[in-house]
Amino acid sequence: MANNEDLLKKIIAHAKEYGFVFQSSEIYDGLSAVYDYAQNGSELKKNIRDYWWKAMVQMHENIVGIDSAIFMHPTVWKASGHVDAFNDPMIDNKDSKKRYRADVLVEDHIAKIESKINKEVAKAAKRFGESFDEKQFKETNPRVLANIKKIEDIKNRLYPAMDANDMESIKTLIEDIGIVCPISGSKNWTEVRQFNLMFSTQMGSTAEGASEIFLRPETAQGIFVNYLNVQKTGRMKIPFGIAQTGKAFRNEIVARQFIFRMREFEQMEMQFFVRPGEEMKWYEYWKDQRMKWHQSLGIPAGKFRFHDHDKLAHYANAAADIEFEFPMGFKELEGIHSRTDFDLAAHEKYSGKKLRYHDPELNQSYVPYVVETSIGLDRMFLAILSNAYTEETFEDGNSRVVMKIPPVLAPYKVAIFPLTKKDGLPEKAREIMNDLKHDHMCFYEEKDAIGKRYRRHDAIGTPYCVTIDHQTLEDNTVTIRERDSMNQERIAIESISGVVNERLKNI
Ligand code: ATP
């Protein structure tokens, strides 16, 4: 089995070779951390978005969807705190000229110490065998204790410095713990500076009359500023939700790991408006619902875990991430945040407009509290690709790469192959295609041997291949081959749609 770094490389290469993801502007050597979705990728992405929308909007009578503009009034971002606080601390190494996020450098250093502890524990577990008590070992082993203390000391310096915007202390911390640049190996660092992640541009035709506006760094604010319009025109009663999917932009200091961290990406967000005081109940509800949604796709439960935040953003009173085991380890895929009334109250203040809800049951007006679920569509795409990528070798020495994409998300549901290009088989195959394509994305292919065509569709994750042969002309039956098991069955043409539909229901 390939190691994890290799696996990510293989997925990137596969995504390019089979038309899922291309680097943006590749003929000009690409644009850093920007990617384009190709013919198969855009289908997969659309299917993930639809699957989310269906679960959130179609299946909840009290959730509606909107599609707000990317450009918003600049004061929105003042009110939301993004102008003043959507910053990451950056630092450059003077020798390698590489730029880093200062907090990430420190966190990577902590991770190294953690892995030392884990190695120590693993060694001891081997030595002591069954009688090993990990808790006791960690509480008593001097080397482990010293490393735990080191981590605590670092955290106790990093987080307060981050909260206080104290860049100097972060620099001193980096120097004190002796972090070296992974490229140059030197400790020749610049000062740490705050860097705002919002992209800005000018709106208006003349420079003097122009005003600075931002490309939205999250879709959530488009929901907040429309809260009252939607509540009134939709006659929504609390608790209710507003969902939206769309592009967001962040000028990430270090963007890497393929589509995991990009400068232009897509979010799928839902803001759920609740009575103040009931937010924790809904926070737990949405944590549970969202985890179930992930697992409904048939991905093993062990690939997901919750990470509860100890350090909360200024607007939150509870927050958790759903992490997925990507090839580069467990990383954030989705956030569930209890945002209190922070955003609506701030927009009330800055706009001077009341954003209240009159609760007929309590006969009271209040600013609702909000529980948000926020997932990156591109990260979900990478999670699906990473889980789907499978290399198989058979007893006869042949091998294949098969993308075990959940059928409901697969770019194509059925591939249709005439066995040969003659004897009326293509015409018959076209007839079947023309009928099936009303219900499913179908792919018609007559080039190359059947085995090659199967492999091509394994590689893009098509759950079914249907072959039309001479017998089809006689008795209207076809061979249908299932992607994962490679089982082949002879069935009537009229049954194809039923077989496919059944598979789409049972993941
Ligand atoms: P991270 O800690 O990884 O930077 P975040 O906590 O800043 O993420 P949120 O602001 O909570 O992320 O955004 C919600 C979701 O949007 C994330 O869970 C992630 O899936 C996605 N996301 C955020 N930034 C990016 C990015 N640069 N590229 C792709 N997806 C992103």
Side-chain angles (χ1 to χ4, degrees), residues 186-221:
S186 89
K187 295 180 192 166
N188 196 5
W189 298 109
T190 61
E191 295 307 305
V192 178
R193 277 162 297 158
Q194 282 288 30
F195 179 76
N196 192 288
L197 300 184
M198 281 198 295
F199 283 99
S200 70
T201 185
Q202 303 293 324
M203 185 174 252
S205 53
T206 59
E208 305 103 75
S211 63
E212 186 187 29
I213 56 164
F214 300 100
L215 299 190
R216 67 181 177 200
E218 61 175 29
T219 59
Q221 297 305 323

Side-chain angles (χ1 to χ4, degrees), residues 86 101 218 250 252 259-263 265-267 269 309 315 321 332-335 337 372 374-379:
F86 195 52
R101 250 175 75 175
E218 61 175 29
R250 295 182 187 180
E252 300 279 1
I259 54 174
F260 181 82
R261 188 177 299 286
M262 297 195 288
R263 298 207 163 96
F265 59 101
E266 190 163 338
Q267 289 187 313
E269 297 199 297
H309 289 210
Y315 53 75
D321 296 336
E332 172 177 346
L333 171 61
E334 169 157 11
H337 311 127
E372 129 181 298
S374 173
I375 173 169
L377 175 47
D378 314 86
R379 281 194 193 175

Side-chain angles (χ1 to χ4, degrees), residues 11 31 64 73 97 162 172 233 237 266 280 317 358 380-381 465 468 496 507:
I11 290 168
L31 182 66
V64 291
H73 193 285
K97 307 268 182 284
M162 294 276 289
T172 318
T233 56
K237 288 200 172 54
E266 190 163 338
M280 289 320 284
N317 66 357
H358 180 76
M380 187 65 198
F381 187 104
C465 295
I468 288 85
I496 302 173
I507 286 165

Side-chain angles (χ1 to χ4, degrees), residues 265-428:
F265 59 101
E266 190 163 338
Q267 289 187 313
M268 306 192 286
E269 297 199 297
M270 193 277 300
Q271 310 292 325
F272 201 67
F273 299 89
V274 305
R275 273 185 192 156
E278 292 192 353
E279 71 275 15
M280 289 320 284
K281 179 178 91 186
W282 288 110
Y283 170 69
E284 293 303 332
Y285 171 84
W286 281 112
K287 269 178 74 173
D288 182 55
Q289 285 289 306
R290 294 303 305 147
M291 189 57 108
K292 285 194 176 127
W293 181 83
H294 286 286
Q295 290 173 6
S296 74
L297 284 166
I299 300 173
K303 291 236 165 195
F304 297 97
R305 70 180 187 198
F306 280 114
H307 169 243
D308 293 310
H309 289 210
D310 332 313
K311 186 180 169 284
L312 293 172
H314 56 286
Y315 53 75
N317 66 357
D321 296 336
I322 294 178
E323 294 185 337
F324 177 77
E325 193 175 12
F326 289 98
M328 55 283 184
F330 273 99
K331 300 251 179 230
E332 172 177 346
L333 171 61
E334 169 157 11
I336 295 115
H337 311 127
S338 172
R339 292 179 79 123
T340 69
D341 62 353
F342 174 83
D343 302 88
L344 288 182
H347 288 305
E348 269 204 342
K349 188 171 140 215
Y350 279 83
S351 68
K353 307 275 177 358
K354 287 256 173 288
L355 298 174
R356 305 280 158 119
Y357 174 77
H358 180 76
D359 193 323
E361 276 170 42
L362 301 179
N363 199 21
Q364 246 181 42
S365 282
Y366 52 77
V367 177
Y369 270 42
V370 171
V371 175
E372 129 181 298
T373 70
S374 173
I375 173 169
L377 175 47
D378 314 86
R379 281 194 193 175
M380 187 65 198
F381 187 104
L382 183 58
I384 296 291
L385 281 196
S386 328
N387 189 63
Y389 184 90
T390 315
E391 293 174 357
E392 288 178 348
T393 307
F394 309 114
E395 276 173 11
D396 63 6
N398 282 329
S399 64
R400 68 168 182 166
V401 171
V402 51
M403 293 301 271
K404 296 189 174 175
I405 298 173
V408 68
L409 304 181
Y412 292 94
K413 310 302 181 206
V414 191
I416 295 174
F417 309 150
L419 186 63
T420 63
K421 283 190 210 164
K422 44 184 206 286
D423 304 334
L425 297 184
E427 289 74 11
K428 186 72 183 169

Side-chain angles (χ1 to χ4, degrees), residues 49 52-53 56-57 63-72 77 216-227 230 241-248 266-273 372-377:
R49 191 190 297 113
W52 181 88
W53 191 268
M56 302 303 276
V57 180
I63 300 181
V64 291
I66 63 164
D67 183 7
S68 72
I70 287 172
F71 293 144
M72 301 181 74
W77 305 110
R216 67 181 177 200
E218 61 175 29
T219 59
Q221 297 305 323
I223 294 178
F224 291 126
V225 298
N226 280 301
Y227 149 76
V230 172
I242 305 178
Q244 132 152 284
T245 69
K247 287 279 174 123
E266 190 163 338
Q267 289 187 313
M268 306 192 286
E269 297 199 297
M270 193 277 300
Q271 310 292 325
F272 201 67
F273 299 89
E372 129 181 298
T373 70
S374 173
I375 173 169
L377 175 47

